[in-house]
Amino acid sequence: MPAITVDDLTVLPRLRAPGLGDTPRPVWQVTTAPSGYEGEGFPVRRAFAGVDLQLLDPFVMMDQMGEVDYAPGEAKGTPWHPHRGFETVTYIIDGVFDHQDSHGGGGTITNGDTQWMTAGSGLLHIEAPPEWLVEKGGLFHGIQLWVNLPRDAKMNNPKYQDIRSGEVQLLTSPDAGALVRVIAGTVDGHAGPGSTYTPMALVHATVEPGARLDLPWDVDFNALVYVLNGSGSVGTDGRPLRMGQAAVLGAGDYLTITADRAQESRTPKLDVIVGGGRPIREPLAWAGPFVMNTKAEVLQAYEDFQRGRFGHIPA
């Protein structure tokens, strides 16, 4: 897994161990992601399917894209499509994705890079593997997280943050048994590079076999753990969690993730995405690529899209 890493974790800043008055977060729910296809036919797992939207807030959904090893000619992306009212966070763990939009933006993200797109008032965009990857084939793996925008930011102008792998804040557990990559937000006083409208944190952690990660987490945030690969447990009571499963945690000062001592040879470590934020607690009207507050606003988004107000596909 070529997302950013280091050979010697002992050189990294250490997370603090839980204190005497700190409360561990309990596990409220464990769900298993159904598999499906998105865009032109690339495989995804709907990471948070089955989780109540009130427990996800400020998130809307998350897809695990792949992991898939494409043969030559197989790699796929998405056709041109619109968005309004939220942000897409695309984190590429393995492979390459190109992006282009109707406002003239674009770029390429690869191993460990993140593209944070604020759709805001609306745009058209396309995401696809580069032509050389389609011809050659290769491994592709990543996630796309949808982050809701509060009512007063939904119609802001679209913007981007291109976060390169080398900009991510790297931390380790007190015993150096886990690598924590902070993509956005602040964890134990260490800030990631991503800037957010709604206070939140996004982390990719790799836990060595048999190791335990006690991750300090903002008490005002909800907390969700999703397993990218490997197996382990979550919570101090050791609730089992494996690849393709998500855990919703309750209130507390920190969350606990433990990797099983025995892992599959193909995935020798436990990799998880941890996300959470301060709930927006506003009405949610979500239909396809539009995430608004009311049904009328969603219908208006469809009308604006059909009338070409999101811009036009570049020649």
Side-chain angles (χ1 to χ4, degrees), residues 19-72:
L20 207 54
D22 289 334
T23 303
R25 288 182 177 246
V27 179
W28 280 356
Q29 180 184 12
V30 171
T31 61
T32 300
S35 298
Y37 293 90
E38 190 54 77
E40 296 172 336
F42 60 87
V44 298
R45 287 188 176 93
R46 301 289 189 198
F48 297 146
V51 178
D52 189 287
L53 283 173
Q54 289 186 340
L55 299 178
L56 281 181
D57 188 9
F59 306 137
V60 180
M61 59 163 279
M62 189 174 81
D63 280 343
Q64 180 183 8
M65 305 180 294
E67 181 179 8
V68 57
D69 195 359
Y70 285 119

Side-chain angles (χ1 to χ4, degrees), residues 97-251:
F97 231 23
D98 286 341
H99 166 85
Q100 189 179 8
D101 73 38
S102 55
H103 288 245
T108 298
I109 49 175
T110 186
N111 307 337
D113 295 339
T114 301
Q115 184 203 68
W116 201 295
M117 183 184 83
T118 303
S121 59
L123 45 64
L124 306 174
H125 80 149
I126 186 172
E127 298 157 305
E131 189 60 35
W132 64 263
L133 181 60
V134 176
E135 294 176 359
K136 180 182 177 183
L139 200 59
F140 179 76
H141 191 199
I143 64 159
Q144 186 172 94
L145 174 69
W146 287 18
V147 183
N148 196 12
L149 286 170
R151 179 185 278 114
D152 61 4
K154 282 190 177 295
M155 297 300 287
N156 283 7
N157 291 330
K159 72 171 188 177
Y160 295 94
Q161 300 173 68
D162 284 316
I163 301 170
R164 297 300 156 181
S165 61
E167 299 173 314
V168 170
Q169 174 70 63
L170 300 180
L171 308 169
T172 189
S173 51
D175 65 355
L179 171 62
V180 175
R181 307 168 185 85
V182 183
I183 298 168
T186 300
V187 175
D188 194 28
H190 301 275
S195 173
T196 68
Y197 283 94
T198 299
M200 58 162 285
L202 181 63
V203 163
H204 171 198
T206 301
V207 188
E208 297 287 336
R212 168 171 162 163
L213 170 62
D214 290 322
L215 185 66
W217 205 247
D218 193 309
V219 294
D220 293 329
F221 291 1
N222 60 356
L224 300 115
V225 177
Y226 177 76
V227 179
L228 295 169
N229 57 252
S231 62
S233 62
V234 63
T236 53
D237 58 348
R239 188 82 171 266
L241 206 63
R242 56 177 170 77
M243 183 179 69
Q245 290 189 316
V248 182
L249 289 87

